Amino acid sequence: MDRRSFLTKAAVGGTMAAGATALAAPAIAQTAPKVTWRVTSSFPKSLDTIFGAAETMSKYVSEMTDGNFTLQVFPAGELVPGLEAADAVSAGTVEACHTVPYYFWGKDPTYALGAAVPFGLNARMMNAWFYYGGGIDMMNEFYATQNLIAFPAGNTGVQMAGWYRKEINSVEDLKGLKMRIGGFAGKVIEKLGVVPQQIAGGDIYPSLEKGTIDATEWVGPYDDEKLGFYKVAPYYYYPGWWEGGLAIATMINLAKWAELPPSYQAALKAGCVVANTDMLASYDWKNPTALKSLVANGAQLRPLPQDVLLAAFEAANQTYAEVSAGNATFKKIKESQDAFRRDAYLNAQIAEYNYDVFMMSQQQAGKL
């Protein structure tokens, strides 16, 4: 091959390679664009376990996309009030939020089924229903009517029944009680004479301290200790029958979701799964220590009387029948959860229950 021919072919080859590079670059850029979203939380930053779940989600999404998809998490009130998060996302004011779906049950009771309802599923059952029982798809059929799509992104486990300024010995003691209680549970407990109040987390303590409310529930020992409720309401009741396994959700504007590349959608869904697992594990680790600390500081643990639990159970079933009669979507999803609840508790009472009861007896005997 002569020198002239070699140089000509090399030049042509170089041009083709450069052209290929020029053509490939935009394709790569399109598949990994720089995207920054704002995520408004319904929780203050001081509640590191709940607020922190959104930060966990953000961290993993960034790592899975080499930093190209960024979720900026803002505490409640910085961009949007905590109880208006879903409305802001639906309207496109922000791209996403990290919140409790039942905060918005007043718009439609179906929202509550994506979080927790009285005497509903516990945390493990809720996750089983979401991931294997079609729960995510069923909820997203509803959320689509609200211009939203959502995925589980946290769970608190079963909660406590809250803090009271006076003892509760019977259903009669609930009549006229002004109580901060979240979500659909307020509609149920109202039937027992309670006057429900929906108040964002950061505003609960001053309301309880001033006597604006007589009682409050929030989550459980770790968060409750941080909020200081034991200082103004000494009686700490259990169990929180209205939240057997509270699911937190990342809600996303439907149009913004559709704009994401499929790989970013997958990363966000995976980040939600991590946040969901991490939050529950974090509470399970932190609550035992916090409970001991609360008792040492004067909190008085009390079980809810059986007549209160039974009355609440009947009130819940009555409320579900009333809502289902006029809301076909609520009825469909609630029936799906109820069918699984029957089978799940049938299974749980065999191995799980007996193992736990035995181990608890050993703990009480000081053998653990």
Side-chain angles (χ1 to χ4, degrees), residues 247-272:
I248 318 297
T250 293
M251 293 184 165
I252 305 157
N253 179 276
L254 200 55
K256 290 295 182 182
W257 172 257
E259 292 174 2
L260 287 178
S263 61
Y264 286 14
Q265 291 181 348
L268 183 48
K269 286 194 286 186
C272 287

PDB file of all heavy atoms in Angstrom, residues 247-272:
ATOM      1  N   ALA A 247     -48.181   2.836  56.249  1.00  0.00           N
ATOM      2  CA  ALA A 247     -47.344   2.949  55.059  1.00  0.00           C
ATOM      3  C   ALA A 247     -47.208   4.410  54.654  1.00  0.00           C
ATOM      4  O   ALA A 247     -48.199   5.131  54.544  1.00  0.00           O
ATOM      5  CB  ALA A 247     -47.956   2.154  53.909  1.00  0.00           C
ATOM      6  N   ILE A 248     -45.963   4.829  54.471  1.00  0.00           N
ATOM      7  CA  ILE A 248     -45.662   6.157  53.942  1.00  0.00           C
ATOM      8  C   ILE A 248     -45.476   6.001  52.434  1.00  0.00           C
ATOM      9  O   ILE A 248     -45.031   4.951  51.957  1.00  0.00           O
ATOM     10  CB  ILE A 248     -44.370   6.725  54.565  1.00  0.00           C
ATOM     11  CG1 ILE A 248     -44.309   6.442  56.068  1.00  0.00           C
ATOM     12  CG2 ILE A 248     -44.224   8.210  54.271  1.00  0.00           C
ATOM     13  CD1 ILE A 248     -45.381   7.064  56.888  1.00  0.00           C
ATOM     14  N   ALA A 249     -45.792   7.047  51.674  1.00  0.00           N
ATOM     15  CA  ALA A 249     -45.700   6.939  50.212  1.00  0.00           C
ATOM     16  C   ALA A 249     -44.898   8.085  49.618  1.00  0.00           C
ATOM     17  O   ALA A 249     -44.903   9.202  50.142  1.00  0.00           O
ATOM     18  CB  ALA A 249     -47.097   6.926  49.596  1.00  0.00           C
ATOM     19  N   THR A 250     -44.228   7.781  48.528  1.00  0.00           N
ATOM     20  CA  THR A 250     -43.713   8.828  47.655  1.00  0.00           C
ATOM     21  C   THR A 250     -44.739   9.013  46.552  1.00  0.00           C
ATOM     22  O   THR A 250     -45.010   8.077  45.784  1.00  0.00           O
ATOM     23  CB  THR A 250     -42.352   8.445  47.046  1.00  0.00           C
ATOM     24  OG1 THR A 250     -41.385   8.389  48.100  1.00  0.00           O
ATOM     25  CG2 THR A 250     -41.902   9.464  46.019  1.00  0.00           C
ATOM     26  N   MET A 251     -45.338  10.192  46.513  1.00  0.00           N
ATOM     27  CA  MET A 251     -46.333  10.514  45.493  1.00  0.00           C
ATOM     28  C   MET A 251     -45.687  11.409  44.439  1.00  0.00           C
ATOM     29  O   MET A 251     -44.955  12.343  44.769  1.00  0.00           O
ATOM     30  CB  MET A 251     -47.533  11.228  46.124  1.00  0.00           C
ATOM     31  CG  MET A 251     -48.347  10.354  47.048  1.00  0.00           C
ATOM     32  SD  MET A 251     -49.815  11.234  47.666  1.00  0.00           S
ATOM     33  CE  MET A 251     -50.747   9.834  48.311  1.00  0.00           C
ATOM     34  N   ILE A 252     -45.979  11.117  43.176  1.00  0.00           N
ATOM     35  CA  ILE A 252     -45.303  11.764  42.055  1.00  0.00           C
ATOM     36  C   ILE A 252     -46.352  12.316  41.093  1.00  0.00           C
ATOM     37  O   ILE A 252     -47.371  11.668  40.825  1.00  0.00           O
ATOM     38  CB  ILE A 252     -44.419  10.737  41.315  1.00  0.00           C
ATOM     39  CG1 ILE A 252     -43.437  10.078  42.294  1.00  0.00           C
ATOM     40  CG2 ILE A 252     -43.689  11.383  40.144  1.00  0.00           C
ATOM     41  CD1 ILE A 252     -42.930   8.724  41.834  1.00  0.00           C
ATOM     42  N   ASN A 253     -46.085  13.494  40.579  1.00  0.00           N
ATOM     43  CA  ASN A 253     -46.956  14.054  39.549  1.00  0.00           C
ATOM     44  C   ASN A 253     -46.950  13.135  38.334  1.00  0.00           C
ATOM     45  O   ASN A 253     -45.881  12.751  37.836  1.00  0.00           O
ATOM     46  CB  ASN A 253     -46.461  15.452  39.179  1.00  0.00           C
ATOM     47  CG  ASN A 253     -47.288  16.101  38.094  1.00  0.00           C
ATOM     48  OD1 ASN A 253     -47.070  15.862  36.904  1.00  0.00           O
ATOM     49  ND2 ASN A 253     -48.243  16.917  38.487  1.00  0.00           N
ATOM     50  N   LEU A 254     -48.120  12.777  37.862  1.00  0.00           N
ATOM     51  CA  LEU A 254     -48.236  11.758  36.813  1.00  0.00           C
ATOM     52  C   LEU A 254     -47.546  12.187  35.522  1.00  0.00           C
ATOM     53  O   LEU A 254     -46.875  11.377  34.866  1.00  0.00           O
ATOM     54  CB  LEU A 254     -49.718  11.463  36.556  1.00  0.00           C
ATOM     55  CG  LEU A 254     -50.066  10.148  35.864  1.00  0.00           C
ATOM     56  CD1 LEU A 254     -49.485   8.954  36.593  1.00  0.00           C
ATOM     57  CD2 LEU A 254     -51.588  10.010  35.755  1.00  0.00           C
ATOM     58  N   ALA A 255     -47.670  13.455  35.141  1.00  0.00           N
ATOM     59  CA  ALA A 255     -47.030  13.923  33.907  1.00  0.00           C
ATOM     60  C   ALA A 255     -45.513  13.925  34.048  1.00  0.00           C
ATOM     61  O   ALA A 255     -44.790  13.556  33.111  1.00  0.00           O
ATOM     62  CB  ALA A 255     -47.527  15.330  33.563  1.00  0.00           C
ATOM     63  N   LYS A 256     -45.010  14.314  35.226  1.00  0.00           N
ATOM     64  CA  LYS A 256     -43.565  14.314  35.447  1.00  0.00           C
ATOM     65  C   LYS A 256     -43.015  12.883  35.437  1.00  0.00           C
ATOM     66  O   LYS A 256     -41.915  12.632  34.945  1.00  0.00           O
ATOM     67  CB  LYS A 256     -43.235  15.000  36.773  1.00  0.00           C
ATOM     68  CG  LYS A 256     -43.464  16.491  36.765  1.00  0.00           C
ATOM     69  CD  LYS A 256     -42.514  17.181  35.792  1.00  0.00           C
ATOM     70  CE  LYS A 256     -42.676  18.686  35.801  1.00  0.00           C
ATOM     71  NZ  LYS A 256     -41.774  19.349  34.826  1.00  0.00           N
ATOM     72  N   TRP A 257     -43.770  11.962  35.981  1.00  0.00           N
ATOM     73  CA  TRP A 257     -43.360  10.548  35.963  1.00  0.00           C
ATOM     74  C   TRP A 257     -43.227  10.055  34.521  1.00  0.00           C
ATOM     75  O   TRP A 257     -42.261   9.370  34.181  1.00  0.00           O
ATOM     76  CB  TRP A 257     -44.391   9.719  36.721  1.00  0.00           C
ATOM     77  CG  TRP A 257     -44.209   8.231  36.616  1.00  0.00           C
ATOM     78  CD1 TRP A 257     -44.930   7.366  35.847  1.00  0.00           C
ATOM     79  CD2 TRP A 257     -43.243   7.433  37.316  1.00  0.00           C
ATOM     80  NE1 TRP A 257     -44.479   6.076  36.013  1.00  0.00           N
ATOM     81  CE2 TRP A 257     -43.443   6.091  36.912  1.00  0.00           C
ATOM     82  CE3 TRP A 257     -42.240   7.714  38.230  1.00  0.00           C
ATOM     83  CZ2 TRP A 257     -42.674   5.029  37.397  1.00  0.00           C
ATOM     84  CZ3 TRP A 257     -41.468   6.661  38.719  1.00  0.00           C
ATOM     85  CH2 TRP A 257     -41.689   5.339  38.309  1.00  0.00           C
ATOM     86  N   ALA A 258     -44.181  10.420  33.677  1.00  0.00           N
ATOM     87  CA  ALA A 258     -44.173   9.962  32.285  1.00  0.00           C
ATOM     88  C   ALA A 258     -42.976  10.520  31.516  1.00  0.00           C
ATOM     89  O   ALA A 258     -42.524   9.911  30.543  1.00  0.00           O
ATOM     90  CB  ALA A 258     -45.471  10.372  31.595  1.00  0.00           C
ATOM     91  N   GLU A 259     -42.442  11.659  31.955  1.00  0.00           N
ATOM     92  CA  GLU A 259     -41.299  12.264  31.277  1.00  0.00           C
ATOM     93  C   GLU A 259     -39.974  11.569  31.603  1.00  0.00           C
ATOM     94  O   GLU A 259     -38.990  11.740  30.876  1.00  0.00           O
ATOM     95  CB  GLU A 259     -41.183  13.742  31.663  1.00  0.00           C
ATOM     96  CG  GLU A 259     -42.310  14.615  31.135  1.00  0.00           C
ATOM     97  CD  GLU A 259     -42.224  16.038  31.677  1.00  0.00           C
ATOM     98  OE1 GLU A 259     -41.263  16.350  32.423  1.00  0.00           O
ATOM     99  OE2 GLU A 259     -43.129  16.842  31.370  1.00  0.00           O
ATOM    100  N   LEU A 260     -39.929  10.812  32.695  1.00  0.00           N
ATOM    101  CA  LEU A 260     -38.677  10.178  33.105  1.00  0.00           C
ATOM    102  C   LEU A 260     -38.284   9.042  32.159  1.00  0.00           C
ATOM    103  O   LEU A 260     -39.142   8.272  31.722  1.00  0.00           O
ATOM    104  CB  LEU A 260     -38.805   9.596  34.515  1.00  0.00           C
ATOM    105  CG  LEU A 260     -38.835  10.556  35.702  1.00  0.00           C
ATOM    106  CD1 LEU A 260     -39.010   9.756  36.987  1.00  0.00           C
ATOM    107  CD2 LEU A 260     -37.561  11.390  35.771  1.00  0.00           C
ATOM    108  N   PRO A 261     -36.991   8.890  31.871  1.00  0.00           N
ATOM    109  CA  PRO A 261     -36.545   7.692  31.149  1.00  0.00           C
ATOM    110  C   PRO A 261     -36.892   6.445  31.972  1.00  0.00           C
ATOM    111  O   PRO A 261     -36.923   6.505  33.203  1.00  0.00           O
ATOM    112  CB  PRO A 261     -35.027   7.875  31.069  1.00  0.00           C
ATOM    113  CG  PRO A 261     -34.781   9.337  31.284  1.00  0.00           C
ATOM    114  CD  PRO A 261     -35.878   9.804  32.188  1.00  0.00           C
ATOM    115  N   PRO A 262     -37.145   5.326  31.322  1.00  0.00           N
ATOM    116  CA  PRO A 262     -37.481   4.095  32.048  1.00  0.00           C
ATOM    117  C   PRO A 262     -36.453   3.718  33.111  1.00  0.00           C
ATOM    118  O   PRO A 262     -36.809   3.220  34.176  1.00  0.00           O
ATOM    119  CB  PRO A 262     -37.552   3.037  30.939  1.00  0.00           C
ATOM    120  CG  PRO A 262     -37.940   3.814  29.724  1.00  0.00           C
ATOM    121  CD  PRO A 262     -37.263   5.140  29.861  1.00  0.00           C
ATOM    122  N   SER A 263     -35.170   3.979  32.839  1.00  0.00           N
ATOM    123  CA  SER A 263     -34.143   3.633  33.822  1.00  0.00           C
ATOM    124  C   SER A 263     -34.276   4.481  35.085  1.00  0.00           C
ATOM    125  O   SER A 263     -34.022   4.008  36.197  1.00  0.00           O
ATOM    126  CB  SER A 263     -32.748   3.810  33.223  1.00  0.00           C
ATOM    127  OG  SER A 263     -32.532   5.161  32.837  1.00  0.00           O
ATOM    128  N   TYR A 264     -34.700   5.733  34.946  1.00  0.00           N
ATOM    129  CA  TYR A 264     -34.902   6.606  36.104  1.00  0.00           C
ATOM    130  C   TYR A 264     -36.158   6.197  36.877  1.00  0.00           C
ATOM    131  O   TYR A 264     -36.190   6.277  38.104  1.00  0.00           O
ATOM    132  CB  TYR A 264     -35.009   8.066  35.677  1.00  0.00           C
ATOM    133  CG  TYR A 264     -33.702   8.714  35.273  1.00  0.00           C
ATOM    134  CD1 TYR A 264     -32.562   7.945  35.009  1.00  0.00           C
ATOM    135  CD2 TYR A 264     -33.593  10.088  35.144  1.00  0.00           C
ATOM    136  CE1 TYR A 264     -31.372   8.534  34.630  1.00  0.00           C
ATOM    137  CE2 TYR A 264     -32.404  10.694  34.779  1.00  0.00           C
ATOM    138  CZ  TYR A 264     -31.300   9.917  34.509  1.00  0.00           C
ATOM    139  OH  TYR A 264     -30.115  10.506  34.138  1.00  0.00           O
ATOM    140  N   GLN A 265     -37.164   5.786  36.136  1.00  0.00           N
ATOM    141  CA  GLN A 265     -38.367   5.272  36.808  1.00  0.00           C
ATOM    142  C   GLN A 265     -38.013   4.058  37.646  1.00  0.00           C
ATOM    143  O   GLN A 265     -38.453   3.934  38.801  1.00  0.00           O
ATOM    144  CB  GLN A 265     -39.439   4.909  35.771  1.00  0.00           C
ATOM    145  CG  GLN A 265     -40.057   6.091  35.055  1.00  0.00           C
ATOM    146  CD  GLN A 265     -41.128   5.667  34.058  1.00  0.00           C
ATOM    147  OE1 GLN A 265     -41.263   4.489  33.731  1.00  0.00           O
ATOM    148  NE2 GLN A 265     -41.896   6.627  33.569  1.00  0.00           N
ATOM    149  N   ALA A 266     -37.206   3.163  37.082  1.00  0.00           N
ATOM    150  CA  ALA A 266     -36.798   1.958  37.809  1.00  0.00           C
ATOM    151  C   ALA A 266     -35.974   2.324  39.040  1.00  0.00           C
ATOM    152  O   ALA A 266     -36.139   1.729  40.119  1.00  0.00           O
ATOM    153  CB  ALA A 266     -36.008   1.027  36.892  1.00  0.00           C
ATOM    154  N   ALA A 267     -35.075   3.297  38.894  1.00  0.00           N
ATOM    155  CA  ALA A 267     -34.247   3.720  40.020  1.00  0.00           C
ATOM    156  C   ALA A 267     -35.105   4.319  41.138  1.00  0.00           C
ATOM    157  O   ALA A 267     -34.869   4.048  42.319  1.00  0.00           O
ATOM    158  CB  ALA A 267     -33.205   4.737  39.554  1.00  0.00           C
ATOM    159  N   LEU A 268     -36.095   5.103  40.767  1.00  0.00           N
ATOM    160  CA  LEU A 268     -36.961   5.715  41.777  1.00  0.00           C
ATOM    161  C   LEU A 268     -37.797   4.663  42.492  1.00  0.00           C
ATOM    162  O   LEU A 268     -37.948   4.703  43.720  1.00  0.00           O
ATOM    163  CB  LEU A 268     -37.856   6.775  41.131  1.00  0.00           C
ATOM    164  CG  LEU A 268     -38.774   7.567  42.068  1.00  0.00           C
ATOM    165  CD1 LEU A 268     -38.041   8.086  43.293  1.00  0.00           C
ATOM    166  CD2 LEU A 268     -39.436   8.727  41.307  1.00  0.00           C
ATOM    167  N   LYS A 269     -38.326   3.701  41.740  1.00  0.00           N
ATOM    168  CA  LYS A 269     -39.086   2.624  42.380  1.00  0.00           C
ATOM    169  C   LYS A 269     -38.196   1.819  43.323  1.00  0.00           C
ATOM    170  O   LYS A 269     -38.612   1.465  44.437  1.00  0.00           O
ATOM    171  CB  LYS A 269     -39.719   1.710  41.315  1.00  0.00           C
ATOM    172  CG  LYS A 269     -40.903   2.351  40.607  1.00  0.00           C
ATOM    173  CD  LYS A 269     -41.723   1.346  39.805  1.00  0.00           C
ATOM    174  CE  LYS A 269     -41.035   0.919  38.549  1.00  0.00           C
ATOM    175  NZ  LYS A 269     -41.912   0.059  37.705  1.00  0.00           N
ATOM    176  N   ALA A 270     -36.973   1.550  42.899  1.00  0.00           N
ATOM    177  CA  ALA A 270     -36.044   0.809  43.754  1.00  0.00           C
ATOM    178  C   ALA A 270     -35.677   1.618  44.996  1.00  0.00           C
ATOM    179  O   ALA A 270     -35.575   1.073  46.106  1.00  0.00           O
ATOM    180  CB  ALA A 270     -34.787   0.447  42.970  1.00  0.00           C
ATOM    181  N   GLY A 271     -35.495   2.924  44.838  1.00  0.00           N
ATOM    182  CA  GLY A 271     -35.200   3.783  45.982  1.00  0.00           C
ATOM    183  C   GLY A 271     -36.323   3.785  46.994  1.00  0.00           C
ATOM    184  O   GLY A 271     -36.088   3.831  48.213  1.00  0.00           O
ATOM    185  N   CYS A 272     -37.549   3.708  46.506  1.00  0.00           N
ATOM    186  CA  CYS A 272     -38.711   3.638  47.402  1.00  0.00           C
ATOM    187  C   CYS A 272     -38.713   2.330  48.196  1.00  0.00           C
ATOM    188  O   CYS A 272     -39.038   2.317  49.385  1.00  0.00           O
ATOM    189  CB  CYS A 272     -39.999   3.775  46.601  1.00  0.00           C
ATOM    190  SG  CYS A 272     -40.321   5.444  45.980  1.00  0.00           S
TER     191      CYS A 272
END
